[in-house]
Amino acid sequence: MSAVVHLNRKLVLEEALRISDGAGGYVETWTQLGTLWASIQAGTGTERSEDFLTVSRVPMKVIVRGAPVGSPRRPKPDQRFIEGGRVFRILSVTELDAQGHYLVCQSREEVAS
């Protein structure tokens, strides 16, 4: 029997879209796909200097309700979750339990400090 999962965080799922800039390139914009309830567990973070600023990275385990492969409700790598001003980039998605009731989205939050 699996542990009880408390989905108590409301996250917006977004996907990147590339739109032509009219000069042969593109502009990346984000479009909302929907809202999911989730449980978030933080890992151990790191801090690194990049281009005159410090970036803090924290791995996050975001657990959401299960959805079959191919479903628009199933998060995918390179999408992201938004919670207020926080951004969680999705790195991978796997089932938490054998029945597929929940999905684990390995994610990363990056914050410039």
Side-chain angles (χ1 to χ4, degrees):
M1 180 155 202
S2 61
V4 175
V5 178
H6 297 286
L7 305 178
N8 58 359
R9 307 277 288 270
K10 189 175 181 179
L11 305 178
V12 175
L13 179 63
E14 293 187 339
E15 183 172 61
L17 292 179
R18 291 184 176 183
I19 299 173
S20 172
D21 65 2
Y26 66 88
V27 175
E28 187 175 81
T29 62
W30 290 89
T31 183
Q32 290 187 6
L33 300 177
T35 303
L36 299 172
W37 286 94
S39 171
I40 300 177
Q41 301 169 3
T44 302
T46 61
E47 187 175 79
R48 186 167 56 155
S49 295
E50 292 183 4
D51 299 326
F52 306 106
L53 63 114
T54 302
V55 177
S56 297
R57 289 187 175 97
V58 179
M60 298 285 191
K61 187 185 295 186
V62 179
I63 300 172
V64 298
R65 290 200 191 283
V69 174
S71 169
R73 295 179 317 140
R74 185 183 177 105
K76 298 183 286 192
D78 293 329
Q79 292 178 337
R80 68 184 188 180
F81 292 116
I82 302 293
E83 182 185 43
R86 299 176 74 182
V87 177
F88 307 99
R89 182 178 172 163
I90 301 171
L91 305 173
S92 66
V93 179
T94 59
E95 285 78 14
L96 176 66
D97 56 340
Q99 296 80 22
H101 292 139
Y102 297 99
L103 300 172
V104 176
C105 303
Q106 297 295 339
S107 305
R108 181 174 57 223
E109 181 180 25
E110 295 183 356
V111 178
S113 53

